[in-house]
Structures are given as structure tokens and as C-alpha cells.
Amino acid sequence: MTVKVAVAGATGYAGGELLRLLLAHPEVEIGALTAASSAGTPLGQAQPHLAPLAGRIVEETSADTLAGHDVVFLALPHGHSAAIADQLGPDVLVVDMGADHRLADSADWQRWYGGDHAGTWPYGLPELPGARERLRATTRVAVPGCFPTGGSLALAPALSAGLVEPDVTIVSVTGTSGAGKSLKPHLLGSEVMGNASAYGIAGAHRHTPEFVQNLSGAAGRTVTVSFTPVLAPMPRGILTTASAPLTGDTETGEAAVRAAYEKAYADEPFVQLLPEGQWPTTAATVGSNTVQLQVAVDADAGRLVVVAAIDNLTKGTAGGAVQSMNLALGLDETAGLPTAGVAP
Amino acid sequence: MTVKVAVAGATGYAGGELLRLLLAHPEVEIGALTAASSAGTPLGQAQPHLAPLAGRIVEETSADTLAGHDVVFLALPHGHSAAIADQLGPDVLVVDMGADHRLADSADWQRWYGGDHAGTWPYGLPELPGARERLRATTRVAVPGCFPTGGSLALAPALSAGLVEPDVTIVSVTGTSGAGKSLKPHLLGSEVMGNASAYGIAGAHRHTPEFVQNLSGAAGRTVTVSFTPVLAPMPRGILTTASAPLTGDTETGEAAVRAAYEKAYADEPFVQLLPEGQWPTTAATVGSNTVQLQVAVDADAGRLVVVAAIDNLTKGTAGGAVQSMNLALGLDETAGLPTAGVAP
Amino acid sequence: MTVKVAVAGATGYAGGELLRLLLAHPEVEIGALTAASSAGTPLGQAQPHLAPLAGRIVEETSADTLAGHDVVFLALPHGHSAAIADQLGPDVLVVDMGADHRLADSADWQRWYGGDHAGTWPYGLPELPGARERLRATTRVAVPGCFPTGGSLALAPALSAGLVEPDVTIVSVTGTSGAGKSLKPHLLGSEVMGNASAYGIAGAHRHTPEFVQNLSGAAGRTVTVSFTPVLAPMPRGILTTASAPLTGDTETGEAAVRAAYEKAYADEPFVQLLPEGQWPTTAATVGSNTVQLQVAVDADAGRLVVVAAIDNLTKGTAGGAVQSMNLALGLDETAGLPTAGVAP
Amino acid sequence: MTVKVAVAGATGYAGGELLRLLLAHPEVEIGALTAASSAGTPLGQAQPHLAPLAGRIVEETSADTLAGHDVVFLALPHGHSAAIADQLGPDVLVVDMGADHRLADSADWQRWYGGDHAGTWPYGLPELPGARERLRATTRVAVPGCFPTGGSLALAPALSAGLVEPDVTIVSVTGTSGAGKSLKPHLLGSEVMGNASAYGIAGAHRHTPEFVQNLSGAAGRTVTVSFTPVLAPMPRGILTTASAPLTGDTETGEAAVRAAYEKAYADEPFVQLLPEGQWPTTAATVGSNTVQLQVAVDADAGRLVVVAAIDNLTKGTAGGAVQSMNLALGLDETAGLPTAGVAP
């Protein structure tokens, strides 16, 4: 089986990572590559690392250029996906790598993003309870935000098992590629290198409602989330430190916690619960679709602490998108997705 | 007034930063420079950036080489300061940049460091309530750990004012120099660059009891602290994200919080509460003794979030040590201490 | 066809990159993984990014553990390959990723490395004239040094075509992984980040005679080489700037130069001569086996300038090794070798 | 003596570094701070590291705002200095940190920069023969380009002494701040980190004619210069590797070379010829006005190799500007200029 795939937003970081993965996917033929301002130029200008596609000419993003493909990935600014998706027909698999179809609640959408709510599509994080089944039966996928990918997997098993209170604190250290190629002064290399800075503080980041949605779903009740992203001097990677008050006896807690995580992720090809004593590093996940996890109990503070490492562009965006495509098309879920990282 | 200063541990990162500051201090004459394995070599080998001292020969650390100075700084591995300090006489100002004299509780010392407890000296963080007075009347100073420096200043005003519950979460992103020049595989450049990793998870880091001591002192009751350090790819800097549940009405909380911090730090020369909307960055503090602070209220999560940025080697170690020396000697507290950072 | 492969030196950077590539190679089964001090531990400790091999136990490097494989890769310190190779039998393909079998001249070996010269094996840089044929008919391969890989391909076409004088200057900016996991102070992250430094200056680097050998072979006469490596703050990548005096009319030189390079590399799957106006970047080659090249004529200085970018661990070591294995086994030369990089 | 200083271009990297130095200068009072687009905002927004000046309001750059100062520094885009300088009066010391007044030859100016040539001012590199005297007798200073600062000092003594042929090769690895705060895609952190790239290849960089001018002056005849800049992932620093064919007997060359450099720089407060066996690192010069130099002879290649490290913003721009100001005003040449770097 060969599926023909178009990528809208092929010149950005998410689009570039997606194309890198698709080049190695055994059942994919890469079709139209589209973008906005760089239409008409060879892809090699915007994506010099994609040597096999260097001579491909970027086209304009439109229903016409995207027509005639089995799968269309949309790596567009938020608010742009619904209009395109409506023109692609119900049989085409549309994978939205933007935010438009992630939130179930219209009020949430309007508060955090503004404008009309485009609706909700099956959520592309198969490791969450129930998600895999929905993805196997859809032609529309909403790819999660990069922060909620690692952070939700870090806490869902403990919340599902009732091991922690529904009141969580999440601090995620992220590389710069999550911000895309935006020409903003604080993203210049001179500003970023040798520097750590917090932003979107005190619940101001748009991924907060997505955390609440995912974790409340896992807990079966509303979860309060305090989320802070920290920008660190690295191109890729998110290291999430998540914690929550333990509900039970902390002296026996660590075994129960580890058992819950082992059970939750025993059959997951992309979640690696590390051996005791080994801690996640983002470097180990660069370019791979793996989530590295470790859990620990702080008996003094009475809290569970979970650390998760992912590559924001791979499992956090493009790898998660391919994983969902595989499920929706009935392919091997792991096809084309490396689990070994590029390190050092 | 000129004071003659000796530095034990002159070849490490803390010693190097101390010497950089002392070179620019208007009232200091740099005397003996001592170390262990590199005794007998020119300082320029271990500290190539200290051009004015390149030809100075490093001596062995001993009571003899350290004798005859007005001030002795000890930048030694933990457990080594007490024996040396005992031989230096009560009139010499001894500034211990290690951990030996930070903790008041012997049981804490034994649990976290092991071995005999050397006792407690006045704590070199003048911005904490009561600390400045004790530093003005001492010939012995215990310099704080780098993480508790920023993290304690981030939360002390809110705890003192009763604005938050005594149950705090602290995640600190740190550069690599805090680990010193130890030849450990995970500190190699190849491992560190492009990488974020957590360590000392779930209350396992030795700075945890120091946080508890400082914050409990500020709160007037025992504070529970969940502390996680994260190693980031930068040589210097600590960015601390600290949060705690608000006690009061969160709708009016932000103004009350800001007022408490403005009051607490109004006259502090080294604490910069940033204007609303501007967030701390470690880059802005490189090489300076400044602490950048920002506060915010997360009304959804019901938490106060405070972000603090410092240079771990300057305010977090050597700058704090000079500031305490200035106080103990009756000099201008700010002498020799830059408040402008080296950026970008 | 499936070949069974052993890797001696599996815990180092070169061994780790080799395993990453072999995991994705369609015709390889990974057999014994051996090392020295870490024998007996799971590979996941030394190579946390190789999730699929995390539980594999590292064995001791010996003729016994390496026996029974079709291919043995030796990623060992120099001077250790010959003794092992002698015990592996003539039918086993032995790929030496160290220096032992690179130099043809015994006097060169003794001057630059010392000790007995182990002899010369076919040189694993198929893009050099005549090399590919020798690799197709051998069971022994000497993988090139990382610097000579990019630098030789940068200058060989111009020297072969007589476009430049045999007197070349090469400055190569390298990431830190080329130095391996050695616990040396100058390789610590704190020392490396924010820092550029030269080393092995003025012809002192051991790759100099390898440059002379390769370039003299291309030129058909002795080439004088001034080589300087510069250490830059990045884990991977080598950017080589090579120049030499033009022999001919510089006004028409650029066209002739470009024609020579286009001809030399027209059919090379791993050499990408960039379009005019685009310059090589190491980031574009991370994790890929591609060499990015650009050529230009400096009419004022009368010199040809060539810039080459590679990943030192991929094309510069492990990728080159796999490429040579493919040739020696009669496989598709490109099997298992990505040409798209991991960027940003 | 206190001099009142204005800075035009106070919001850029050069202006920021200048202000950091001026804050610590014992004889300077900081007056007007001007800029273009950020006029009207507090300086703390553009320069968050300059805590002591955070509340100062940036003014528009004009003859009015710059009037009434003893010294005016111009950190403006090229082509903008002459018009302003003309309005400042002959008694005001004007220090041009841009390119406008560096080149003596109008044809050079027109070829490399375009537009009318503003003329030549005394060149602010006191360590070049004759330069210090001219700077002591001027009210107009042209601050050198960052690359020619280190590169000229690297080669001038050898060329002056006739030890090398007038045909030199220079490769300079630079941090990103040399490019300023320009919002260009290739300067984004995501692009810069983990990446080395060459640009302005084959004599295309505008600093080439400045090299030729300086080195020809030192040699007493026309010097041919092949210059290549390489962008490395660090905010600050330039490491220059310069080489040239030796004219004499290379067996005795190293002693003669070292003697020439020792003699040339014996009394220079900011040039540090390192002990044999120690190599320059840019990290050692961060924030300091020091040039680290090392020389070596490559007997095989018959070339002198010199490596120079500077901080591009300090000695390479703002520190050099202050040094020239000190000379022009008759102050101690070293006032306000640190020679110890900020490392690690």
C-alpha cells in the first residue's frame, strides 16, 4: 500500500520534521508541498537539510494544490485549518498539526485563541485512554500541542489510578523550535544562547486548557493545572517536571506508583519508563518518537514527581502526526517512526 | 582601607569568579591563592580568563599559606572548611562558600551530607529578614547554596506576609558551572549541549533542607518544599519557577502580592522586581550580583507564581560572598559588585 | 540477505552512531555489542538514546565475543585493532573505525601515532578516485578520520583537475563529539559552551598526514597541507574552509571550478554541491550521510575557496563505515543511510 | 575629571556593551541615550541586563539630543555617522563605532559599501604602529571592525618584521552578536545552535579591504588577504586562525617569530601573548578588553600560524572604543576596561 501525502506548511519546522519522517516511511509517496510566502521557490532554500527534496518547488496552499492526495497534513497557523479541511472531502485523511480542533469547549477556544471554534476532532495522542480507538475510525485528526504531549502522559496514569490529588504543577523546559521560525527578537540566537527564561507565566500559555482537558479526562474529574514553560538554549526537546500531592500512604507510594505506570504503558511502543535511578534527558529523544518517563515519590513533600522527555518536533508534533496517520489508515502504528534518538 | 584576602580553592569555578570580582574591588589586595592538586602551577593554567593573575603561582591550601590575611574565602569541597577555619583565629573574617556551616540542624546535616556537623554560621543572604544584622556582627559567614539564593528570595515575601500556604513547589533550571569542574560523563559538552535533564528528583537534592530552613524562617512555621533542579545547556545562570497556593481572594491577589514584594525589596540594591509584563532571564544577570524577580497570580489554579533569575556563580556564590564580606567588614555593601550583566 | 554484525566499542560515540544507523538498516541483524570498562552493564546506561537496545548487555571485547558474525566493526582506541582483526579470519568483513590502517607510510605512522605500523587497508572514502573499486573487493576497510573526510572531498576535484597549486590551507570547525567521551577538563560543558578554541595548531594534528596522503593522491604529486582544527560549542558537525592558490585565469575560474566539481560528484549519492549562493551548514547534515559543498573563487586573493559540511559522527565516521560495508558486501551503497538531516 | 558621554544607538548590542563599560568607568557620566525605533521607551526593555539604567528613557537620535556632551559615541548603521558628526562641532570627541570612517580609499568604500565616502578618521586600534599617537591628537575616531581587530594584531608583527610573505589566509570563527539584533532567519536561535556555517566567502565580506589596509600598512607593501568568516553557536567571541608562508629558515623560525611578537606587544596592556603550549579561547576573553595570542611555526607546510581570541563586543567594538576615548581625552588608556574575562 502506498499513500500519497501532501504537506501544507512545508517550509516551517513542523513541516520539515514531518517531511524528514515521511521520506523514511515505507508506505508513503510525498506529493504536493505547499506554503504561503515561499511558494515558487525550491524547498532546499527553506529546508536545506532535506537533500532528497531540495529541488522540489513549493506551491501555494490551496484546495487545488492539495487535491488528489490520500492524506493532507496541515501545519498552518491557528485559525487556518478549518477552511481548507472543509474543501478536502470526507474521504481524505486530514491531520491538523495546529490548534484548531484540539479543544472540545467553545468557550475555552474563544478565551485562549479567539474567533470561531472549528469544532473537535479525535485527539492524536493514542496513549491516552480511549484515544487509539477513536483514531482508528476517523478521517480527521487533531495533533496535540507539544507541551500537553509529554505532560499529559506524565500524569495521566497517576490521575487515572487516583494516586494523586487533581491539583498539579507542571514546569516544562523547551527548546526554541517550538516557537517556529517567527522573526522575534527574543528568539535570536544571541538572545537565546546562554539564557533561560520563563514566559506565558501563571496560566497564560495557550496549552493550559489542553492540559486541563486531557488530565481531567484521565482523572474523571476537573483537574487544576499550574503550567509554566521555560525557554532553554537548545533547538529541540521538552523536559517536563510534573508533580501533584499524593493521596495515599507515601511510605508505600513509590511501588504503587511504579506499578501503575508500568501497567499503563506496558504495551506502548513509544513510551519508555526508565529503569529506577535513570532520569530522562531530552538529548536521548532527539529525532525519535520516544517519550522517556521516570517517576519518584517525595515522601517529605508528600508529592509524586514525574519527569518526561520528548522531542517537541517528533513525538511532540510530526511524529505524533505520523503515528495518528498510521492508525487512521490501518497501517502498523510504528511505521516510519524511529525510536532511537540522534545523540550526542 | 585595604584588606588582604586569601582564596582557598582558587582554581575552581567559584574561586575563579570570586577572583574576578576581587580584582575590581576598590578595597581589596589579593594575597595567597591556594588549591590542592594544582599547587605549584601558574593560575593562568586553571583560570585563563584571569589575565592579571596569570603568572601567580598557586600554593597548597594550609593554615600556613592562609595565615596573615584579613579575610579568607574557603571554596572547598564540603566537609573541609571547619578544620581550616579553626586554625585561622577568631579575628580573621572567614567566608565559607561551601555547605559546611549552612544548616542549623545537626540531624539535617547528617541526613543530607553525612559526618559530623560543623555548626552554623551567620547566613550570607542579607535580603532575608534579620540576616543583614547578623552579618554585620560576625567574623564567620556561611554563603548560601546557589539554588536557595534565588528560590528563597522568590518566596520569602509571600510567606512572610501570609499570602500563600506553606507548601511550595520549586523547579530551578541551572547552568552547568554549579556542578564545578568535576570530570563526570554527564557534564561533558557533548552530553550537555542540546540537552535538558532533571536530577536530584523528588526531594533528593541537598539544597532541599536549606530551602526548608530559609522558607520556614520567613513563614514563621514549617514549610513543605518540593524541589527539582533541571540541568540546561548553558554555563551560568539559574532560573527558578516557584509557586504556592494562594491563601486569599485571587481576584485581588496580584496587587497585594506585588505590594508585598515591592515593600520587601524596596531598598535592596541587588533585587530588581521587574516592571509588569517583563520576565526574568538568566542572560540579563550574567556576571552581575542582581536578582531579577517577577510575580504573577494564576487565578485559575489559585497559585502565586514567582520567577527569579540569578547568575549562580555571582549572586549565587562569589558575589554573595563578597556582599557578605563587605557587610562584615563595615564596607559599602555594594563595593566591587556589578549590577549590570554581560549580555548578550 | 541478512548480515550479522558485531560492534566492538559499542558504548562510545562512534559505536552509538553506528548502532543507530544499523537499527534502521534493512539487511542487518545486530549481534554482539562489546566494550571494555562497561562490560556487563545494559547498553541503555551508556547509550540512553538507543531505546530499542536499552536492555542488551554489553560484553567484553575479545575474539570470542566477536566470533560468528559476518561483519565486525572496530570502534577502538588507536593501536588496538590489528591484534583483534588478526583473530577474526579472512572471510569476516572487518571495518576499522580507528586510525590503525589508514596511513600507507610506516614512517608517517611512527611519527604521528608511534609504535608498530599495522599496515594499510582499503580506504573507506568511496568518493575519492579509485577508492570505490578497492572497497568492492576487500574484507578489510580503514574508515577515514573525520576531518579528512570533508576536507579531502573539498579539494580533491580541484587538485585532480590541476586548477589549484598543491599548497592548501584547511581550517575545520568541529563539534565536541569528535573527541569522544574522554573525561578531559577542556571538554566539560562549562568550558565548551560559549567558546571557540584552536588546538593541534601548526601541523600538530594527527589527521595532517592523512590529508597529505589523500590530496597528494588526488593531485598526482605531493601536496603541502596547513591544517588547523577549531573546537566549537556544538555536539556534532565539521565545517571545513579549504583554500588554495588558483593556477589559471581567475576571471574565468569560477565556471571551470564549478564544472570540475559537478563532474566529479555528479553520480555521488552523498555529495551535494549546493546551488550558487547557498552555503553549507553543519546543521543541515546532522544525522545524515550527506556532504554539503560549495565552491567560490576569490579573484582578489587569487584563491579557490571551498566549504564543506558534514556530520563528523555520520559521514565522518559511522555513516562512512556503513557505506563501505555496503560496498564490500555488494549491497546497495546507500542502504540504511539517510541523506536528510535532523534540523533544526 | 568627569566627562559627559552620549550614546547614539543605545539599544543595540554594541551600544549595550558600551554602556556596560561606561557604567564602571571612573571618569564618565552617562548622558543621553538615543536610538531610532525604540525612542520613548525605557532602556530596560531593550537592555534588560543594564539594571542601573533600566528606567532611563531612550531619546531620538539627533543633533539636539546629542548636544552638550563631551563625547558622543555613534553606534549606527553604516552611512549614518557623517551627517550627525558634522553637526556636533569640532571640540566634541566623536567615536564612530560604524564603518563610515575606516577606509582610506574612496574606491574601496564605494566597492564594498556603496554611496559617498565620508572620509577617514584616526583608526582606533592603538596597538598598530603609529595608531596610538594619532589617537592622542584627535577628536574623531574610527573604531575598527570586529574581525580586523584580532586578525590585524595576529599578523602585523610578522609582516612588519618581514617574517612572512604578504599573502595571508584568515579564517575567523565568530559568535552571533556581531550581526546585531537584525531579524534575519539564519540568526534565529533554532538555526544557530548546533550549527557552524560560513558566509561572505571568497573575499565577499566587507571587512576584507580593512584587513588589506591594516596589514599592508604593517608590511609596507600590498598584502593579499583571503578572509572567511564562520558563524558558530555562541553569542560572543571571535577566534581567528591566520597563516602565511614563512620567508626564512623554518627550523629556526619559531624563536624568531616569538621574539618578534614579544617585542611588538611587550608594553601593550591588552595583548596577552600566551605561554608556549597554551592556546587562546574566546571564553577567556568574554567581557574583557584582552586579546589572547599564540604563534606557531608549521615546518612541514612552511607557514606561520597565529591564533587570536577576542570578545567581538568588547575589544572588538565597545572596549576598543573606550580605549580610544581614553587616549583622545588624555586619560589612563586602561580606565574602565577589564582585562579579566567572565568565564566559564
Side-chain angles (χ1 to χ4, degrees), chain C residues 105-125:
Chain C
D105 188 283
S106 291
D108 273 353
W109 176 264
Q110 279 155 15
R111 174 179 169 195
W112 294 93
Y113 292 91
D116 288 342
H117 184 220
T120 314
W121 290 353
Y123 191 73
L125 195 53

Side-chain angles (χ1 to χ4, degrees), chain B residues 13 176 187 189-191 193 233, chain C residues 13 176-177 187 189-191 193 233:
Chain B
Y13 290 146
T176 55
L187 296 177
S190 298
E191 302 292 323
M193 291 183 286
Chain C
Y13 290 145
T176 54
S177 60
L187 295 177
S190 298
E191 301 291 322
M193 291 183 287

Side-chain angles (χ1 to χ4, degrees), chain B residues 240-337:
Chain B
T240 292
T241 301
S243 74
L246 290 159
T247 50
D249 176 352
T250 61
E251 291 194 27
T252 57
E254 187 136 332
V257 166
R258 179 162 289 274
Y261 278 75
E262 281 172 352
K263 185 175 166 204
Y265 296 131
D267 298 324
E268 289 297 344
F270 298 116
V271 182
Q272 184 187 20
L273 182 62
L274 292 174
E276 290 184 60
Q278 187 176 351
W279 290 95
T281 68
T282 61
T285 68
V286 169
S288 99
N289 208 47
T290 298
V291 183
Q292 283 198 337
L293 277 186
Q294 186 54 289
V295 298
V297 164
D298 181 343
D300 293 311
R303 293 182 82 90
L304 168 68
V305 181
V306 187
V307 178
I310 63 166
D311 183 323
N312 59 303
L313 289 180
T314 319
K315 178 60 177 168
T317 307
V322 170
Q323 187 181 353
S324 293
M325 175 194 81
N326 288 342
L327 285 166
L329 295 177
L331 303 173
D332 174 359
E333 185 176 340
T334 66
L337 291 170

Side-chain angles (χ1 to χ4, degrees), chain A residues 53-125:
Chain A
L53 301 172
R56 294 279 293 269
I57 301 299
V58 178
E59 301 177 80
E60 297 243 358
T61 299
S62 73
D64 278 356
T65 54
L66 298 174
H69 295 82
D70 302 304
V71 185
V72 175
F73 288 92
L74 302 176
L76 302 173
H78 77 80
H80 288 64
S81 299
I84 289 282
D86 286 348
Q87 303 176 61
L88 294 175
D91 295 339
V92 178
L93 174 60
V94 182
V95 182
D96 185 0
M97 299 164 75
D100 292 21
H101 301 91
R102 292 176 192 158
L103 296 181
D105 190 283
S106 290
D108 272 352
W109 175 265
Q110 278 155 17
R111 173 178 169 196
W112 294 95
Y113 293 91
D116 288 342
H117 184 220
T120 313
W121 289 353
Y123 191 70
L125 195 54

Side-chain angles (χ1 to χ4, degrees), chain C residues 28-310:
Chain C
V28 161
E29 177 196 344
I30 297 176
L33 308 180
T34 78
S37 62
S38 40
T41 63
L43 189 70
Q45 287 187 12
Q47 309 283 21
H49 62 298
L50 299 177
L53 300 171
R56 293 279 293 269
I57 302 299
V58 178
E59 301 178 79
E60 297 243 357
T61 300
S62 73
D64 278 356
T65 54
L66 298 174
H69 296 84
D70 302 305
V71 185
V72 175
F73 287 93
L74 302 176
L76 303 173
H78 77 81
H80 288 63
S81 299
I84 289 282
D86 286 348
Q87 303 175 62
L88 294 175
D91 295 340
V92 178
L93 174 59
V94 182
V95 182
D96 186 0
M97 299 164 76
D100 292 23
H101 300 91
R102 290 175 193 157
L103 296 181
D105 188 283
S106 291
D108 273 353
W109 176 264
Q110 279 155 15
R111 174 179 169 195
W112 294 93
Y113 292 91
D116 288 342
H117 184 220
T120 314
W121 290 353
Y123 191 73
L125 195 53
E127 295 84 358
L128 285 185
R132 185 169 277 115
E133 290 65 36
R134 286 189 287 274
L135 291 166
R136 284 199 175 114
T138 189
T139 61
R140 294 292 184 271
V141 174
V143 177
C146 54
F147 290 118
T149 294
S152 301
L153 298 182
L155 286 170
L159 287 163
S160 291
L163 297 168
V164 295
E165 302 290 348
D167 182 11
V168 309
T169 301
I170 299 171
V171 177
S172 292
V173 178
T174 182
T176 54
S177 60
K181 291 191 186 174
S182 328
L183 293 177
K184 295 178 183 163
H186 78 283
L187 295 177
L188 286 173
S190 298
E191 301 291 322
V192 165
M193 291 183 287
N195 194 15
S197 58
Y199 67 102
I201 310 295
H205 194 282
R206 284 169 166 170
H207 286 176
T208 302
E210 200 177 329
F211 272 119
V212 172
Q213 178 174 297
N214 293 350
L215 297 179
S216 299
R221 53 178 171 159
T222 301
V223 175
T224 301
V225 177
S226 167
F227 171 58
T228 306
V230 174
L231 193 65
M234 55 191 194
R236 291 182 177 225
I238 297 177
L239 189 90
T240 293
T241 301
S243 75
L246 290 158
T247 51
D249 177 352
T250 61
E251 291 194 25
T252 58
E254 188 135 331
V257 164
R258 180 161 287 274
Y261 279 75
E262 282 173 351
K263 186 176 164 204
Y265 296 130
D267 299 323
E268 289 297 344
F270 297 115
V271 182
Q272 184 187 21
L273 182 63
L274 292 173
E276 290 184 61
Q278 188 176 351
W279 291 94
T281 68
T282 62
T285 69
V286 169
S288 99
N289 208 47
T290 298
V291 183
Q292 283 198 339
L293 278 186
Q294 186 54 288
V295 296
V297 163
D298 181 342
D300 293 313
R303 293 182 81 90
L304 169 68
V305 181
V306 187
V307 178
I310 63 166

